[in-house]
Amino acid sequence: MDTRQILRLLIVLSGLNGACDALFCNCTAPQCEKDGYKCETNGACVASTSVIKGQEQHVRLCIQKEDLVPPGQPFYCLSAEGLMNTHCCYSDYCNSIDLRLPTVTNGPGSGQDWGPVELTAVVVGPVFVLCVLVLLGLVLFQHHQRAYGHRQRLEVEDPSTEHMFLAKDKTLQDLIYDLSTSGSGSGLPLFVQRTVARTIVLQEIIGKGRFGEVWRGKWRGGDVAVKIFSSREERSWFREAEIYQTIMLRHENILGFIAADNKDNGTWTQLWLVSDYHENGSLFDYLNRYSVTIEGMIKLALSAASGLAHLHMEILGTQGKPGIAHRDLKSKNILVKKNCTCAIADLGLAVRHESVSDTIDIAPNQRVGTKRYMAPEVLEETINMRHFDSFKCADIYALGLVYWEIARRCNAGGIHEEYQLPYYDLVPSDPSIEEMRKVVCDQRLRPNIPNWWQSYEALRVMGKIMRECWYANGAARLTALRIKKTLSQLSVDEDMKI
Ligand SMILES: Nc1ncnc2c1ncn2[C@@H]1O[C@H](COP(=O)(O)OP(=O)(O)OP(=O)(O)O)[C@@H](O)[C@H]1O
Ligand SMILES: [Mg+2]
C-alpha cells in the first residue's frame, strides 16, 4: 500500500468518524428554533408522523447514540401501527422526508374495538400456547430420558444374546454354567430370568412358609423350585431376589438362584423366585426322615460351615462380594443336596455390610428370624446393630443349634436319638420371645450335649464346637471359617474322601 492510498484511507475513516460524531438533522423542537431548526447528534436523525385527536403532527429530532437502545431496533425508531410512523436515518438532514400518515385498520386484530373478551384472549392465548409448548417439551424430554435409560439397560442386557442363553438344547445346568463363566457373577440377565420363569410348568406344592408357597416346577425337563410370594409380600420377594443377586454370591453350599419374576395377571401380581430344586428338601425334613453316619454328619456340618463362611466373608476387589449375615439360620432354611451336602437358603432377612462406610445396607430391625433360634443378645435386644459382626455372631449361635440337631441323629456305635428341635424339652412348640428369653438368657440353658458323645472323636469335636457357638458373649463365639477349618481337619482325621 503506497502513502497516497494510506492517506485516502485515513480521510475516509476520519470522514466516517466525523459523520458519526457530527450528524446534522432537521429539528422541529422549540429549543432548536435558535439554531435554525437544526440539531447535531452522534446518533440518528428521526422523523415521525402521527395523528393526535384528528390533527396531523410531524416531528423531526436528533437522537443521541446512547439512546439508540436496544441496538438494531431502538425504541425511538419504532412505529406504532395506526398511531405513529417513525423513521430513523443516519445521514445529514435525512429526516427531512415527509412520512405517510399512519394507516388505521379497523379490522379484527387492530386492537381499537377490542372488548374485554378479545383482550383477554389476546393476553391469555399466547400464555396458554407457551404453557402447552413447555409441557410438550417436558414430556418429550422425559420420554427421551426413559428411552435412553432403556437403551442403556438393553445394551447391558442385550436381548440378541437371548438365543445364546436359551438355545433349545440348553439345560438349566448349561445355562448356569454359561453365566458363571461369562456373566457378571450376579446372575442371569433379567430378560432371560423372565423368559425362564414364564416357561416353567408348576407340578406340585412342596411346602408352605411365612411368605408363601414353594412348588416343584419343570423347565426343559429339569426340576426347579418356585417360591411364590403373595402380592402383600412384595418387599420380601424383592429383598430376597436382591440378596441372591449379590455379585459373586454363588457357592456350592448356598442355594442356587435362577430367576425372579413379577407376573401381573390383571387382578394381582404373582411374585416368583426360582431356584435349584433339591429333592431331599430341608435339613429339617432330612433329619426327620433319616439318621446319619459319622461321615454323613461331618459332611453336612462342614458344608453348612462352608456356605456360611462364604456368606459371611467379604471379598475385596471389583468382582468382590460384601459380607452378608443370614439372620434366619435354622434347619428349615438349609436344603440337603443329592450328594448329602447342605445349601443355605432363605436369604430374605439377610443384611449386607458396606465396608467402605462401615454401614449395613438396610435399616435392620431388632428382632427378626425364628424365636427358637435367636441368640441371647437378640432375645434381650442388646445386640449392637451398628456393628456388622454382631449379626455374624448371632448366625453362629444358630449354626450351633443346627449342629446339635444333626449330631443327635448320628448313629455312632448303633446309638442315635429321635429328631428334635433345639430346646424341645424346655419351651413349648411355638415359643414366645419371653419364654425363650427365660431359658436362654436368664437360666442360661443350652441344648443337652450327652456324655457318651465324648467316646467318639467326631461327636466330641462337634460338641466342643457347639459349646463355643453358644457363648452368651457373641464376640467370644467361633467364626464360620474357624469351624470350617476344624471340621476339614476332622474329615481328614476320619479318613473321609471329601
Ligand atoms: N429349593 C428347594 N428345593 C426343595 N425343597 C424346597 C426348596 N425350597 C423350599 N423347599 C421346601 O419348602 C419348604 C417351605 O420353605 P419356606 O422357606 O417357604 O418355608 P420354611 O423355611 O419352612 O419356613 P420359613 O417361612 O420360616 O422360612 C421347606 O421347608 C422345604 O421343605
Ligand atoms: Mg424357609
Side-chain angles (χ1 to χ4, degrees):
M1 206 185 267
D2 64 18
T3 29
R4 262 192 320 176
Q5 277 176 312
I6 294 171
L7 259 175
R8 205 179 296 149
L9 191 69
L10 281 173
I11 289 164
V12 168
L13 283 174
S14 64
L16 273 177
N17 246 352
C20 269
D21 287 337
L23 174 65
F24 292 98
C25 313
N26 289 323
C27 178
T28 53
Q31 65 267 31
C32 296
E33 191 183 346
K34 59 178 184 334
D35 295 326
Y37 294 102
K38 289 185 305 208
C39 57
E40 194 183 326
T41 179
N42 60 354
C45 302
V46 63
S48 90
T49 309
S50 55
V51 181
I52 296 168
K53 290 181 185 155
Q55 288 258 310
E56 271 183 44
Q57 294 223 349
H58 294 274
V59 175
R60 298 174 217 280
L61 290 168
C62 282
I63 306 284
Q64 294 307 308
K65 196 175 175 183
E66 55 272 24
D67 293 329
L68 289 174
V69 286
Q73 212 178 11
F75 292 123
Y76 275 113
C77 305
L78 291 180
S79 297
E81 198 187 341
L83 293 174
M84 191 188 331
N85 263 350
T86 308
H87 173 70
C88 285
C89 51
Y90 304 90
S91 54
D92 288 341
Y93 304 111
C94 59
N95 62 341
S96 59
I97 51 162
D98 279 328
L99 293 174
R100 277 187 296 114
L101 283 174
T103 44
V104 182
T105 41
N106 285 328
S110 69
Q112 285 210 325
D113 294 337
W114 285 351
V117 178
E118 286 94 337
L119 272 173
T120 313
V122 164
V123 174
V124 173
V127 173
F128 177 74
V129 170
L130 200 73
C131 286
V132 168
L133 285 176
V134 167
L135 270 176
L136 202 73
L138 273 175
V139 168
L140 282 174
F141 178 73
Q142 274 193 342
H143 175 77
H144 174 264
Q145 290 292 90
R146 226 175 289 142
Y148 178 73
H150 187 59
R151 248 194 337 270
Q152 295 279 82
R153 193 169 166 74
L154 288 186
E155 272 159 25
V156 176
E157 298 201 334
D158 181 3
S160 63
T161 58
E162 186 163 357
H163 69 274
M164 256 169 57
F165 286 105
L166 295 173
K168 275 272 174 286
D169 54 334
K170 291 244 162 141
T171 65
L172 211 45
Q173 275 63 41
D174 297 335
L175 208 105
I176 304 295
Y177 179 78
D178 286 354
L179 93 104
S180 59
T181 50
S182 70
S184 66
S186 61
L188 287 174
L190 293 183
F191 63 91
V192 179
Q193 289 191 27
R194 173 158 290 196
T195 312
V196 169
R198 294 186 182 187
T199 43
I200 289 171
V201 183
L202 295 181
Q203 307 288 311
E204 58 174 331
I205 187 162
I206 49 176
K208 256 187 191 187
R210 269 171 298 182
F211 299 121
E213 299 169 342
V214 180
W215 286 70
R216 180 173 64 83
K218 280 266 176 219
W219 192 77
R220 295 203 175 160
D223 285 317
V224 290
V226 183
K227 191 164 172 180
I228 304 178
F229 294 70
S230 64
S231 25
R232 266 180 298 116
E233 300 293 350
E234 180 163 8
R235 282 163 67 101
S236 310
W237 167 81
F238 185 85
R239 180 67 181 162
E240 194 160 359
E242 182 178 51
I243 295 280
Y244 270 116
Q245 289 175 91
T246 303
I247 192 157
M248 298 310 280
L249 179 64
R250 293 194 82 81
H251 185 271
E252 57 181 334
N253 302 118
I254 291 175
L255 178 63
F257 169 82
I258 298 170
D261 185 32
N262 50 346
K263 196 163 30 176
D264 200 336
N265 70 359
T267 332
W268 75 90
T269 315
Q270 273 211 348
L271 305 166
W272 282 26
L273 212 87
V274 185
S275 66
D276 291 345
Y277 171 77
H278 298 296
E279 61 187 49
N280 282 323
S282 68
L283 182 60
F284 173 83
D285 303 330
Y286 187 82
L287 295 174
N288 266 284
R289 231 173 292 139
Y290 311 108
S291 61
V292 292
T293 59
I294 285 186
E295 247 185 55
M297 170 183 74
I298 297 173
K299 218 167 149 181
L300 288 172
L302 175 56
S303 55
S306 301
L308 192 63
H310 181 70
L311 199 66
H312 281 183
M313 183 168 30
E314 179 185 357
I315 302 173
L316 295 169
T318 42
Q319 282 288 79
K321 78 170 261 303
I324 301 174
H326 190 290
R327 298 206 301 164
D328 194 19
L329 200 65
K330 57 176 176 174
S331 53
K332 282 187 180 173
N333 286 344
I334 297 175
L335 297 161
V336 178
K337 307 210 298 191
K338 242 203 187 104
N339 63 2
C340 296
T341 59
C342 292
I344 296 175
D346 278 278
L347 299 187
L349 291 175
V351 285
R352 292 185 287 202
H353 185 217
E354 276 151 16
S355 63
V356 182
S357 51
D358 191 22
T359 51
I360 290 157
D361 74 331
I362 52 160
N365 24 1
Q366 279 273 1
R367 277 191 305 224
V368 293
T370 307
K371 298 178 190 88
R372 187 181 292 275
Y373 288 83
M374 281 178 186
E377 65 275 18
V378 178
L379 290 167
E380 282 188 314
E381 297 186 272
T382 53
I383 183 167
N384 179 359
M385 294 204 296
R386 269 165 304 165
H387 192 43
F388 178 72
D389 278 3
S390 342
F391 295 108
K392 296 206 276 187
C393 298
D395 279 352
I396 295 292
Y397 169 86
L399 182 71
L401 297 180
V402 171
Y403 279 7
W404 179 85
E405 294 171 71
I406 301 172
R408 267 179 64 93
R409 299 291 283 150
C410 178
N411 55 14
I415 334 162
H416 64 266
E417 281 158 303
E418 50 170 7
Y419 174 80
Q420 288 294 358
L421 280 167
Y423 300 110
Y424 72 102
D425 48 350
L426 300 170
V427 297
S429 66
D430 186 15
S432 65
I433 294 266
E434 196 44 40
E435 285 162 332
M436 287 307 307
R437 210 183 51 73
K438 250 187 209 137
V439 170
V440 177
C441 306
D442 299 350
Q443 301 172 30
R444 293 177 162 250
L445 293 174
R446 298 290 185 270
N448 179 44
I449 295 174
N451 276 334
W452 67 264
W453 284 9
Q454 303 302 317
S455 329
Y456 296 89
E457 176 61 6
L459 281 170
R460 191 191 62 77
V461 172
M462 286 291 285
K464 184 166 184 285
I465 293 177
M466 285 172 217
R467 280 202 198 89
E468 293 180 22
C469 289
W470 292 339
Y471 291 133
N473 171 13
R477 294 174 200 148
L478 296 171
T479 63
L481 207 58
R482 183 72 257 157
I483 298 172
K484 185 180 162 184
K485 284 180 182 162
T486 306
L487 291 174
S488 288
Q489 187 55 50
L490 182 63
S491 73
V492 172
D493 297 346
E494 296 280 323
D495 270 344
M496 283 172 57
K497 287 181 277 303
I498 288 189

